[in-house]
Structures are given as C-alpha cells and as structure tokens.
Amino acid sequence: MSDSSSSSSTPSSPASSAPTSLPSPEMQTLSLKDVTDKDRERAAKLKAEANKAFVGHHFAEAVKLYTQAIELNPGDATIWCNRAAARTKLEEYGFALADASKAVQVDPKYAKAYYRRATCYLQIAKPQLAVADFKKVVALEPKNELVKSQLTATQKLVRKIEFEKAIELEEEKNPVERCLEIIAEGGCDVESDYAGPKLNTTEDGKYTITHAFILKMIDWFKQGKKLPRRYAWEIVLGAHANFVKEDSLVNLDLEDGETCDVIGDVHGQFYDLLHLYSLTGPPRPDHLDRGSWSIEVILTAFAYKWLYPTRMFLNRGNHEAKEMNRTYGFEGEAKHKHGDQTYKVRPRSPNIAIRTCLHNNGTKQSTDITAKTILSPEKRKRYFIVHGGLFSKDGVTLDEIRKIPRIGKQPGQEGLMYPQEAPGRGPSKRGVGIAFGPDVTKRWCELNGVTGIIRSHEVRENGYAVEHDGLCITVFSAPNYVDQVGNKGAYIRIDAAGDLRYHQFEAQPHPPLKPMAYAMGGLSNLMM
C-alpha cells in the first residue's frame, strides 16, 4: 500500500465501520460458575489467540477473543486484566476500569489488576483514585521499583492539583494582558545570540509573520531547536487576535472549485503533522498532549492562523483543558521549553469552550444525493465539524451554538460525547462524558438541516470511520498513536458540492523521544 491513499464518499473498505469493542453485558450475566477442564482449555487457547492479536496491534479483535474466553472461564482474573489492557489501547477507559475491577474481585491478590486500574484512573485524569491502587501494588510487590516511582509521581501530582485549587480563588491577571505588559516593560526581548528565523517588523516596531518565516521555523524545529520566548508569545498573541473575532460557530462557505481539508487529532506528533501539511495544507487538529512535540505543533498551527485567519480554522478539543495539559504532558513541555508564563497564555489563546465549524457548499449541486440525504434549507449539503460530538439533550440549534459565550472558558471533560451503536444516550466507554446513538444523530441533523457530523476525539484503526448510517464520521490524524497503536491516520477533503473523499496515510519516522515525555503523575512510564 502506498503512503497515502484515498477513497470516495461511499467507502466499501473496513474503515466504514468503527473498530470499537463490544460493551460488557457479561459483567451483569456471568457468574463464577463451576468451569469444566474443557472450558478452561478452550479459554486458554482463546486467550493465547487474543494475546497474539494484542501484540499485533489488533486491539478490537483481541477484545472479542478475550470476551469469548471470559464466557468460558469467568474465574480467570488474568483474562479480565488482559481485556482491560486491550480496551485501554482503544481508549475505552470506562470498560477497562470495569474489567480491572472484576479482575480484582476474582483475585484480590492479583497485583497487575490493581496496576491496570490505576493507569486507567490516570488516563481519565483522576490521579487521586490511582494512588490507592498503586499503594496496593506496592504492598503486594514491595520490590517493584517502577510502581514505587509511579506512586511517588502520582502523589506529587495530587499535591500539585490540591495546591492549585487552594490558590485558584485568588484573582489572577489575564495572561494575555500580562504578556503584553511584560513585553512593554522590556522583559521579553529576543536574545542577542539567537541565530534562527526572524520575524519581520513594521515601522512602528510591531512584529508581522510571513510564509517564509513559517517554513524556516519548521526547519528550525526539525533541527531540534526552539524559538525565543518572545517569538512564541508573538505567535500566540497573533493567533489570539484572530480567534476573539470569531463566533463560537464559524461558517465556512466554499466557492465552486474550492476544497476544505478536515484534519482530526494530531496530539503532538509533529513529524506526522508535517507530512499532513505536505498533503493538505494547514489543518484543524486537536493539537496537544501525548506526543512530545506539542509546542512545535501548536506554534506551527497558530502561526498559520496568524498568517491566514480566514483560510485556517482550529476547533478546540478536550486536550486544551488544563487538567488534561497537566496529566498528558503539555504543561510540562511548555514550561520546559518556554517558561511558566508561556504555558499560562497558551490555553487562553483560542478562549473557546465549544468551537465548531459549519461547512456550506457552493452553487455546484452534488451528484451523490439520495432520498436519505439531509440537506440545508437551501437544498445543499453541509457538515457540522466538531471535536467531540453531539449534546446531552435534544433540540440544540445552530443559532444556540453560535451564541455560546466562550471567551475565557475552559473546555470540560464531563460534557464530551461519543457515538455508540445503541439508540438513545448512555454511559461512555471512556468513563467520562456520554455516548449518543444513531437516532440522536438523525434527529439533530434533521432539526438543523445538516448532512452529517464530522468529529474526531477517538482513535480509528483505519484513520476514519463512517457511523450512524453515514451521519456521523470520525476522523483521526495521529497515525501509530503514541508509537504503539498501529493505526493509520486520515483526513477528509470536502469539495464545493459537499462530496467527501477520505485519504489515509502512515506514520512518519521521528527522533528518538518517547511519547508523553513531559507527562506528570507516572503516565510517561507507561510509554517505556
């Protein structure tokens, strides 16, 4: 297969369905019954097959095989624990927590089950709950130095969170205003020995950005070097000035002959982002955390937003929330590379609690319209592009989204939405947020005259998945996620008629720096 491939708006490949694992009905129906020797033997063979699928990065298949093994031998804690590990790779942390807890119930002295549950708690930003399980592992395995170090790191993270909460009540100056004050006071000048790419200045001394600077900056980053703090601030402030002019719902109208490329999560995978740029031009990713080049990713994206404010649009995702930045590495990376004040100003820059785009096609009529196709009031295709998904209630209109007051607000975790196969709404497999079914999607699209929803937020084995009878599309643009998952990346190209083409691509080589190198609370050890 070539490095980049594409398909039409009606894919027949396996990418047309989500590679998610099944829910856990056996959690309610299975009992620790008497298991025959034959059952144990068959379960062991299925477990071995599942382990092989896991090693081959076929995590959804591994989950199915572990589930079959559990049905035969529910009293084997190792199978529950292994399925928890596979579900963690699929980011199904809620299901993984349930499996790890079941393993603990089956065998209270199984240290690995407590460890698996602790890492799930870390993944959903609940380090306080992880501490108790890490302590249990240390009690069971007092010589386990790795877990001891993870316990210590997690305890430090909990103390840091508690300290920040204690001082949160104190009024702090807007970080953007504070940066401007520091600049005016001469406290953030470019170092005299800086030899990298230079921003141009106007006659009155204000910095401006050019495409030539961005290309030189990217090359500078590829050499492992960083910009001066002043340049980082100028890029963030330049993008910020454009973000605050935009509504919470941005209309993107395509003229005939124009196309729009929709990019999903990039997660700090800078070298994959550069490959994307070679294919698409500037994207709209969920930028941060997990990869170890989040600063390079966000500065590149913001530089393009500063330069091309009406040609590049960035939707904010959950990894722009401070608790996620703290847990998954962006806070540590930003402070390491550019200092505390740079970290403070970055999350303020888009100032978006919910930010979405509404794609509207041009005058050209699509030839791919059926009786089921939902059209706008003007009888055209259009797509709602959002990071997570839909809403916890019905009846939300586009006008309501457009009017959401977003300046200075943090995106949260609890309101995140995930597509599910079952109708209605239910608990999320992630352990946070809510899942929504195909009936919810259809009602919302019909209410608002939207042809479909394009969202990201979750890994898909083939880079994208078409779900909910074609009304909900997930696109994920971080191939071989955290250097472990083995998935493809993808992006979607929308033309002026509103027709979609899906493009897949593979991961690119990068310098030997592990993912989440700057993560707090023991998560970086999971990448070893």
Side-chain angles (χ1 to χ4, degrees):
M1 181 179 176
S2 63
D3 182 63
S4 176
S5 61
S6 64
S7 60
S8 70
S9 58
T10 54
S12 57
S13 70
S16 61
S17 60
T20 57
S21 66
L22 299 173
S24 295
E26 71 277 1
M27 292 297 296
Q28 287 76 41
T29 61
L30 285 181
S31 62
L32 300 182
K33 61 178 182 178
D34 292 332
V35 179
T36 66
D37 289 341
K38 185 176 181 180
D39 287 338
R40 290 190 183 91
E41 182 180 349
R42 289 172 59 198
K45 289 181 179 179
L46 286 166
K47 176 185 171 184
E49 291 179 31
N51 291 344
K52 185 176 180 181
F54 185 97
V55 171
H57 293 175
H58 302 298
F59 303 117
E61 179 63 22
V63 167
K64 292 177 182 178
L65 291 167
Y66 287 133
T67 299
Q68 293 172 28
I70 287 170
E71 290 171 351
L72 291 167
N73 187 11
D76 188 338
T78 65
I79 308 176
W80 292 98
C81 196
N82 285 8
R83 191 172 73 170
R87 284 179 157 163
T88 298
K89 294 297 185 182
L90 293 169
E91 298 193 314
E92 297 177 350
Y93 305 125
F95 289 171
L97 276 169
D99 282 350
S101 295
K102 187 66 175 181
V104 168
Q105 178 187 337
V106 172
D107 185 356
K109 293 185 178 181
Y110 187 29
K112 195 172 184 179
Y114 293 100
Y115 179 81
R116 189 70 61 206
R117 190 167 65 181
T119 59
C120 286
Y121 282 133
L122 288 179
Q123 296 279 9
I124 61 174
K126 294 183 178 180
Q128 297 90 340
L129 297 176
V131 168
D133 280 336
F134 279 140
K135 284 182 177 179
K136 188 67 177 179
V137 177
V138 172
L140 291 168
E141 298 182 353
K143 295 183 179 181
N144 193 323
E145 297 300 324
L146 174 61
V147 177
K148 285 182 180 179
S149 69
Q150 288 177 296
L151 171 60
T152 300
T154 306
Q155 289 172 323
K156 288 181 180 178
L157 175 59
V158 171
R159 288 195 294 270
K160 174 179 168 58
I161 293 170
E162 291 172 348
F163 174 75
E164 289 178 351
K165 285 182 178 178
I167 65 173
E168 227 169 35
L169 296 177
E170 300 178 13
E171 190 66 31
E172 184 176 326
K173 181 169 289 189
N174 182 308
V176 172
E177 294 176 3
R178 182 57 186 145
C179 282
L180 293 172
E181 284 182 0
I182 294 172
I183 289 171
E185 293 165 358
C188 190
D189 292 337
V190 178
E191 293 82 352
S192 59
D193 60 348
Y194 172 65
K198 301 290 199 312
L199 284 171
N200 293 339
T201 56
T202 61
E203 291 183 358
D204 58 358
K206 292 184 178 180
Y207 284 105
T208 61
I209 194 166
T210 64
H211 192 245
F213 169 83
I214 295 176
L215 295 178
K216 291 177 182 177
M217 177 187 72
I218 290 172
D219 187 62
W220 189 250
F221 288 158
K222 289 167 68 176
Q223 297 175 47
K225 299 176 181 179
K226 63 181 183 180
L227 292 179
R229 183 176 59 155
R230 175 62 179 274
Y231 279 12
W233 287 14
E234 291 291 341
I235 290 171
V236 173
L237 294 171
H240 172 269
N242 290 321
F243 285 128
V244 297
K245 297 174 185 176
E246 297 175 342
D247 290 334
S248 293
L249 176 65
V250 175
N251 273 29
L252 178 58
D253 300 311
L254 292 183
E255 300 296 332
D256 292 342
E258 291 183 328
T259 60
C260 169
D261 291 325
V262 181
I263 309 300
D265 293 24
V266 173
H267 280 302
Q269 296 183 196
F270 181 60
Y271 293 85
D272 295 316
L273 176 69
L274 297 185
H275 181 55
L276 264 174
Y277 279 4
S278 73
L279 301 173
T280 70
R284 54 130 287 228
D286 179 25
H287 316 89
L288 308 177
D289 293 321
R290 291 196 171 98
S292 294
W293 292 275
S294 291
I295 281 289
E296 289 77 7
V297 167
I298 199 64
L299 287 180
T300 303
F302 279 9
Y304 275 117
K305 181 62 180 177
W306 184 14
L307 180 62
Y308 301 125
T310 63
R311 305 300 294 176
M312 179 168 183
F313 298 91
L314 305 174
N315 278 1
R316 197 173 191 187
N318 61 310
H319 278 264
E320 277 64 61
K322 64 181 180 180
E323 65 268 20
M324 300 296 282
N325 291 167
R326 180 195 299 122
T327 299
Y328 286 102
F330 181 72
E331 178 180 339
E333 181 183 347
K335 291 180 176 180
H336 174 79
K337 293 179 179 178
H338 292 289
D340 286 8
Q341 186 62 32
T342 305
Y343 170 69
K344 289 179 181 179
V345 73
R346 207 297 308 161
R348 293 284 300 213
S349 53
N351 285 323
I352 296 162
I354 295 178
R355 250 298 295 269
T356 57
C357 287
L358 182 67
H359 158 269
N360 296 284
N361 66 298
T363 59
K364 184 180 178 181
Q365 185 67 48
S366 172
T367 58
D368 186 21
I369 293 178
T370 69
K372 289 185 176 181
T373 305
I374 301 172
L375 301 175
S376 72
E378 296 78 24
K379 305 302 179 185
R380 303 289 179 185
K381 283 185 173 182
R382 62 177 181 176
Y383 298 89
F384 180 66
I385 302 170
V386 65
H387 176 71
L390 289 179
F391 312 96
S392 58
K393 64 178 183 179
D394 287 340
V396 177
T397 66
L398 296 175
D399 284 341
E400 288 177 303
I401 297 169
R402 196 184 314 278
K403 295 174 183 176
I404 290 174
R406 58 184 171 81
I407 304 300
K409 302 281 183 74
Q410 281 278 318
Q413 294 292 316
E414 297 305 319
L416 281 169
M417 301 292 285
Y418 304 80
Q420 64 179 15
E421 294 180 8
R425 294 178 174 87
S428 161
K429 60 194 173 189
R430 280 277 189 102
V432 293
I434 304 171
F436 61 97
D439 56 329
V440 175
T441 303
K442 184 178 181 181
R443 285 196 301 270
W444 188 86
C445 287
E446 289 176 340
L447 173 67
N448 289 283
V450 170
T451 307
I453 299 154
I454 300 176
R455 43 90 66 181
S456 188
H457 188 55
E458 296 180 273
V459 179
R460 292 293 185 257
E461 184 176 353
N462 293 292
Y464 72 99
V466 182
E467 305 164 71
H468 291 186
D469 199 23
L471 294 179
C472 183
I473 302 165
T474 298
V475 59
F476 194 81
S477 304
N480 194 26
Y481 186 38
V482 294
D483 288 350
Q484 293 185 5
V485 177
N487 60 291
K488 291 183 174 65
Y491 67 94
I492 302 172
R493 177 158 292 173
I494 310 175
D495 65 21
D499 294 332
L500 311 181
R501 291 190 68 85
Y502 302 87
H503 299 262
Q504 298 168 298
F505 61 96
E506 303 287 349
Q508 301 298 298
H510 63 72
L513 183 63
K514 67 179 182 180
M516 293 195 286
Y518 304 93
M520 300 181 185
L523 268 184
S524 61
N525 290 330
L526 301 181
M527 297 296 107
M528 296 176 68

